[in-house]
Amino acid sequence: MGAKRTKARPGEGEKLRGEILRAADALLAEEGTDEALTLRAVARRTGVSTPSVYAHFPSRDALLEAVCLRVWDDLARRMHEHTAEVGDPMRALSRCARVYARFALDHPVQYRVLLMRPSGGSSPGAVACFRYLADATAACVREGILRGEPEVLAMGLWSAMHGCVSLLIAQPGFDWPEELIDSVIRMAGLGTALACRVPWDALPPSAELAAELDELAAGWATARGRTG
């Protein structure tokens, strides 16, 4: 139960908005679900009337999105910290994907709200997540590692990562292998690098494909052994 506040003086609106967001954030952290977050509950915790909350957030969904977006600054910080020193663009893209997955699992409630619910338009959280992967993908295209429209390629990679973390969040009791995230990143990255070079109608029969891929992989392993 929040303490009763005195009437806000002129200029204190932004301060109250911050208090409302912190109260909403605390409710999400305590309950582990967005169902507990109502304008009335947040008003009670903040010590104001419900109409005072409405003055800053016209609906529950607006408040929910605003409080969930607060953690997105942490994603930007993590992306910068983990990729700033990486000179190889494909490895930088791989790190971006791992940071994305770790961030989603560290903030499952916020991730569900912003990226796992139907939306009438582009969520700011979705736009931010996509932008990080799109920028890293564009660097790979500039270096010739990937070929095609960077944003289209990034959408495919994003779909793979979102599918992976959504399953981990929605089905935590399933017997997922520990290496699942790394496996998905590897398959998505190498698969995209190969697929963007091969015309749709140029795939050989399965037996030939397996033999040619075995030869390619063996060549890579031999080359790495010589240089490693």
PDB file of all heavy atoms in Angstrom, residues 49-67:
ATOM      1  N   SER A  49      -4.211   8.913  -6.998  1.00  0.00           N
ATOM      2  CA  SER A  49      -5.490   8.400  -7.479  1.00  0.00           C
ATOM      3  C   SER A  49      -5.306   7.770  -8.857  1.00  0.00           C
ATOM      4  O   SER A  49      -4.361   8.090  -9.587  1.00  0.00           O
ATOM      5  CB  SER A  49      -6.503   9.537  -7.577  1.00  0.00           C
ATOM      6  OG  SER A  49      -6.100  10.485  -8.558  1.00  0.00           O
ATOM      7  N   THR A  50      -6.231   6.890  -9.206  1.00  0.00           N
ATOM      8  CA  THR A  50      -6.164   6.264 -10.534  1.00  0.00           C
ATOM      9  C   THR A  50      -6.219   7.289 -11.661  1.00  0.00           C
ATOM     10  O   THR A  50      -5.471   7.176 -12.631  1.00  0.00           O
ATOM     11  CB  THR A  50      -7.288   5.221 -10.684  1.00  0.00           C
ATOM     12  OG1 THR A  50      -7.173   4.242  -9.640  1.00  0.00           O
ATOM     13  CG2 THR A  50      -7.201   4.521 -12.032  1.00  0.00           C
ATOM     14  N   PRO A  51      -7.074   8.333 -11.568  1.00  0.00           N
ATOM     15  CA  PRO A  51      -7.055   9.361 -12.622  1.00  0.00           C
ATOM     16  C   PRO A  51      -5.694  10.038 -12.789  1.00  0.00           C
ATOM     17  O   PRO A  51      -5.346  10.479 -13.883  1.00  0.00           O
ATOM     18  CB  PRO A  51      -8.119  10.360 -12.151  1.00  0.00           C
ATOM     19  CG  PRO A  51      -9.073   9.531 -11.356  1.00  0.00           C
ATOM     20  CD  PRO A  51      -8.213   8.534 -10.644  1.00  0.00           C
ATOM     21  N   SER A  52      -4.913  10.112 -11.714  1.00  0.00           N
ATOM     22  CA  SER A  52      -3.578  10.704 -11.828  1.00  0.00           C
ATOM     23  C   SER A  52      -2.674   9.851 -12.710  1.00  0.00           C
ATOM     24  O   SER A  52      -1.810  10.374 -13.417  1.00  0.00           O
ATOM     25  CB  SER A  52      -2.948  10.854 -10.440  1.00  0.00           C
ATOM     26  OG  SER A  52      -3.665  11.778  -9.653  1.00  0.00           O
ATOM     27  N   VAL A  53      -2.866   8.534 -12.653  1.00  0.00           N
ATOM     28  CA  VAL A  53      -2.098   7.649 -13.523  1.00  0.00           C
ATOM     29  C   VAL A  53      -2.580   7.802 -14.964  1.00  0.00           C
ATOM     30  O   VAL A  53      -1.774   7.869 -15.906  1.00  0.00           O
ATOM     31  CB  VAL A  53      -2.220   6.184 -13.061  1.00  0.00           C
ATOM     32  CG1 VAL A  53      -1.453   5.257 -14.011  1.00  0.00           C
ATOM     33  CG2 VAL A  53      -1.705   6.028 -11.636  1.00  0.00           C
ATOM     34  N   TYR A  54      -3.904   7.898 -15.139  1.00  0.00           N
ATOM     35  CA  TYR A  54      -4.469   8.096 -16.474  1.00  0.00           C
ATOM     36  C   TYR A  54      -3.939   9.362 -17.128  1.00  0.00           C
ATOM     37  O   TYR A  54      -3.825   9.446 -18.358  1.00  0.00           O
ATOM     38  CB  TYR A  54      -6.000   8.189 -16.394  1.00  0.00           C
ATOM     39  CG  TYR A  54      -6.708   6.861 -16.500  1.00  0.00           C
ATOM     40  CD1 TYR A  54      -7.372   6.316 -15.401  1.00  0.00           C
ATOM     41  CD2 TYR A  54      -6.724   6.138 -17.699  1.00  0.00           C
ATOM     42  CE1 TYR A  54      -8.031   5.100 -15.486  1.00  0.00           C
ATOM     43  CE2 TYR A  54      -7.377   4.930 -17.792  1.00  0.00           C
ATOM     44  CZ  TYR A  54      -8.033   4.413 -16.678  1.00  0.00           C
ATOM     45  OH  TYR A  54      -8.678   3.210 -16.778  1.00  0.00           O
ATOM     46  N   ALA A  55      -3.628  10.367 -16.334  1.00  0.00           N
ATOM     47  CA  ALA A  55      -3.125  11.618 -16.890  1.00  0.00           C
ATOM     48  C   ALA A  55      -1.796  11.428 -17.612  1.00  0.00           C
ATOM     49  O   ALA A  55      -1.446  12.190 -18.520  1.00  0.00           O
ATOM     50  CB  ALA A  55      -2.965  12.653 -15.778  1.00  0.00           C
ATOM     51  N   HIS A  56      -1.033  10.388 -17.221  1.00  0.00           N
ATOM     52  CA  HIS A  56       0.254  10.120 -17.851  1.00  0.00           C
ATOM     53  C   HIS A  56       0.185   8.945 -18.826  1.00  0.00           C
ATOM     54  O   HIS A  56       0.946   8.911 -19.806  1.00  0.00           O
ATOM     55  CB  HIS A  56       1.303   9.815 -16.783  1.00  0.00           C
ATOM     56  CG  HIS A  56       1.634  10.996 -15.926  1.00  0.00           C
ATOM     57  ND1 HIS A  56       2.587  11.923 -16.278  1.00  0.00           N
ATOM     58  CD2 HIS A  56       1.114  11.417 -14.737  1.00  0.00           C
ATOM     59  CE1 HIS A  56       2.653  12.867 -15.345  1.00  0.00           C
ATOM     60  NE2 HIS A  56       1.777  12.574 -14.396  1.00  0.00           N
ATOM     61  N   PHE A  57      -0.700   7.995 -18.558  1.00  0.00           N
ATOM     62  CA  PHE A  57      -0.823   6.813 -19.403  1.00  0.00           C
ATOM     63  C   PHE A  57      -2.309   6.568 -19.651  1.00  0.00           C
ATOM     64  O   PHE A  57      -3.045   6.186 -18.732  1.00  0.00           O
ATOM     65  CB  PHE A  57      -0.178   5.604 -18.717  1.00  0.00           C
ATOM     66  CG  PHE A  57       1.277   5.815 -18.400  1.00  0.00           C
ATOM     67  CD1 PHE A  57       1.667   6.216 -17.125  1.00  0.00           C
ATOM     68  CD2 PHE A  57       2.248   5.660 -19.373  1.00  0.00           C
ATOM     69  CE1 PHE A  57       2.995   6.430 -16.817  1.00  0.00           C
ATOM     70  CE2 PHE A  57       3.580   5.879 -19.085  1.00  0.00           C
ATOM     71  CZ  PHE A  57       3.965   6.268 -17.807  1.00  0.00           C
ATOM     72  N   PRO A  58      -2.774   6.771 -20.880  1.00  0.00           N
ATOM     73  CA  PRO A  58      -4.212   6.718 -21.161  1.00  0.00           C
ATOM     74  C   PRO A  58      -4.829   5.329 -21.061  1.00  0.00           C
ATOM     75  O   PRO A  58      -6.056   5.197 -21.052  1.00  0.00           O
ATOM     76  CB  PRO A  58      -4.298   7.242 -22.599  1.00  0.00           C
ATOM     77  CG  PRO A  58      -2.951   6.985 -23.187  1.00  0.00           C
ATOM     78  CD  PRO A  58      -1.991   7.150 -22.057  1.00  0.00           C
ATOM     79  N   SER A  59      -4.003   4.292 -20.976  1.00  0.00           N
ATOM     80  CA  SER A  59      -4.540   2.934 -20.888  1.00  0.00           C
ATOM     81  C   SER A  59      -3.524   2.033 -20.205  1.00  0.00           C
ATOM     82  O   SER A  59      -2.341   2.374 -20.063  1.00  0.00           O
ATOM     83  CB  SER A  59      -4.840   2.377 -22.287  1.00  0.00           C
ATOM     84  OG  SER A  59      -3.638   2.188 -23.016  1.00  0.00           O
ATOM     85  N   ARG A  60      -4.001   0.867 -19.796  1.00  0.00           N
ATOM     86  CA  ARG A  60      -3.104  -0.131 -19.202  1.00  0.00           C
ATOM     87  C   ARG A  60      -2.032  -0.536 -20.201  1.00  0.00           C
ATOM     88  O   ARG A  60      -0.862  -0.694 -19.841  1.00  0.00           O
ATOM     89  CB  ARG A  60      -3.912  -1.345 -18.764  1.00  0.00           C
ATOM     90  CG  ARG A  60      -3.045  -2.490 -18.230  1.00  0.00           C
ATOM     91  CD  ARG A  60      -3.888  -3.714 -17.935  1.00  0.00           C
ATOM     92  NE  ARG A  60      -3.081  -4.817 -17.432  1.00  0.00           N
ATOM     93  CZ  ARG A  60      -2.423  -5.677 -18.208  1.00  0.00           C
ATOM     94  NH1 ARG A  60      -2.502  -5.569 -19.528  1.00  0.00           N
ATOM     95  NH2 ARG A  60      -1.702  -6.654 -17.676  1.00  0.00           N
ATOM     96  N   ASP A  61      -2.424  -0.717 -21.464  1.00  0.00           N
ATOM     97  CA  ASP A  61      -1.451  -1.138 -22.472  1.00  0.00           C
ATOM     98  C   ASP A  61      -0.354  -0.096 -22.665  1.00  0.00           C
ATOM     99  O   ASP A  61       0.813  -0.447 -22.875  1.00  0.00           O
ATOM    100  CB  ASP A  61      -2.148  -1.399 -23.808  1.00  0.00           C
ATOM    101  CG  ASP A  61      -2.909  -2.719 -23.815  1.00  0.00           C
ATOM    102  OD1 ASP A  61      -2.692  -3.537 -22.896  1.00  0.00           O
ATOM    103  OD2 ASP A  61      -3.719  -2.931 -24.732  1.00  0.00           O
ATOM    104  N   ALA A  62      -0.725   1.178 -22.613  1.00  0.00           N
ATOM    105  CA  ALA A  62       0.280   2.239 -22.763  1.00  0.00           C
ATOM    106  C   ALA A  62       1.272   2.208 -21.608  1.00  0.00           C
ATOM    107  O   ALA A  62       2.485   2.366 -21.807  1.00  0.00           O
ATOM    108  CB  ALA A  62      -0.407   3.605 -22.841  1.00  0.00           C
ATOM    109  N   LEU A  63       0.779   2.009 -20.398  1.00  0.00           N
ATOM    110  CA  LEU A  63       1.663   1.915 -19.236  1.00  0.00           C
ATOM    111  C   LEU A  63       2.528   0.669 -19.318  1.00  0.00           C
ATOM    112  O   LEU A  63       3.734   0.708 -19.052  1.00  0.00           O
ATOM    113  CB  LEU A  63       0.829   1.889 -17.950  1.00  0.00           C
ATOM    114  CG  LEU A  63       1.600   1.624 -16.645  1.00  0.00           C
ATOM    115  CD1 LEU A  63       2.688   2.676 -16.434  1.00  0.00           C
ATOM    116  CD2 LEU A  63       0.642   1.586 -15.453  1.00  0.00           C
ATOM    117  N   LEU A  64       1.924  -0.443 -19.707  1.00  0.00           N
ATOM    118  CA  LEU A  64       2.651  -1.704 -19.797  1.00  0.00           C
ATOM    119  C   LEU A  64       3.793  -1.602 -20.805  1.00  0.00           C
ATOM    120  O   LEU A  64       4.923  -2.031 -20.537  1.00  0.00           O
ATOM    121  CB  LEU A  64       1.683  -2.813 -20.199  1.00  0.00           C
ATOM    122  CG  LEU A  64       2.180  -4.255 -20.134  1.00  0.00           C
ATOM    123  CD1 LEU A  64       2.700  -4.596 -18.759  1.00  0.00           C
ATOM    124  CD2 LEU A  64       1.044  -5.197 -20.534  1.00  0.00           C
ATOM    125  N   GLU A  65       3.519  -1.009 -21.959  1.00  0.00           N
ATOM    126  CA  GLU A  65       4.569  -0.870 -22.968  1.00  0.00           C
ATOM    127  C   GLU A  65       5.673   0.055 -22.474  1.00  0.00           C
ATOM    128  O   GLU A  65       6.861  -0.221 -22.657  1.00  0.00           O
ATOM    129  CB  GLU A  65       3.991  -0.329 -24.277  1.00  0.00           C
ATOM    130  CG  GLU A  65       5.041  -0.217 -25.372  1.00  0.00           C
ATOM    131  CD  GLU A  65       4.444   0.097 -26.725  1.00  0.00           C
ATOM    132  OE1 GLU A  65       4.023  -0.851 -27.418  1.00  0.00           O
ATOM    133  OE2 GLU A  65       4.397   1.289 -27.081  1.00  0.00           O
ATOM    134  N   ALA A  66       5.299   1.147 -21.832  1.00  0.00           N
ATOM    135  CA  ALA A  66       6.298   2.112 -21.349  1.00  0.00           C
ATOM    136  C   ALA A  66       7.215   1.490 -20.306  1.00  0.00           C
ATOM    137  O   ALA A  66       8.437   1.684 -20.342  1.00  0.00           O
ATOM    138  CB  ALA A  66       5.602   3.339 -20.776  1.00  0.00           C
ATOM    139  N   VAL A  67       6.656   0.729 -19.375  1.00  0.00           N
ATOM    140  CA  VAL A  67       7.494   0.151 -18.326  1.00  0.00           C
ATOM    141  C   VAL A  67       8.382  -0.963 -18.891  1.00  0.00           C
ATOM    142  O   VAL A  67       9.530  -1.128 -18.467  1.00  0.00           O
ATOM    143  CB  VAL A  67       6.637  -0.358 -17.145  1.00  0.00           C
ATOM    144  CG1 VAL A  67       5.857  -1.603 -17.500  1.00  0.00           C
ATOM    145  CG2 VAL A  67       7.522  -0.636 -15.936  1.00  0.00           C
TER     146      VAL A  67
END
